[in-house]
Amino acid sequence: TDLITLARDSDVLVLASAANAATAKMINGKVLRALGANGVLVNVARGSIVDEEALIASLEAKSIAGAALDVFAAEPNVPEQLRSLDQVVLTPHIASATKETRQAMADIVVRNVNALLTGAPLFGELSLS
């Protein structure tokens, strides 16, 4: 019914949320305490969703078991504390790095160069179709 209950009832809390004013630092110390000593936080959404200071404190105190992160609050800067903790897995944010997505991005560049040279409107939407 709420984020605290979800965290308390979860072994792994996976974040896949939009970043906006309502979600800024929504994963705070209270949520992390509810996740508990056996819980793992996985953030594949946006770095601003997690209060990194509270996360670091929870990890150092071992009040959560670990974290897997591919986004950070101040990208590309990753806090040294996160890099030094054994129970943290860090990866670059590469969720969109599929062959199809990269090809579609390249196609948009080519279309926009052609549009610019011919005076046509620029394209901005990514389509994988």
Side-chain angles (χ1 to χ4, degrees), residues 10-64:
S10 298
D11 294 324
V12 178
L13 185 61
V14 179
L15 308 179
S17 173
N20 56 47
T23 62
K25 295 187 178 184
M26 75 175 177
I27 305 302
N28 55 29
K30 188 173 181 180
V31 174
L32 294 168
R33 282 188 295 280
L35 186 55
N38 294 318
V40 175
L41 178 71
V42 178
N43 188 4
V44 295
R46 295 288 181 253
S48 63
I49 296 170
V50 175
D51 179 340
E52 277 186 356
E53 291 180 12
L55 175 60
I56 291 166
S58 296
L59 290 162
E60 289 178 339
K62 300 196 185 312
S63 59
I64 66 170

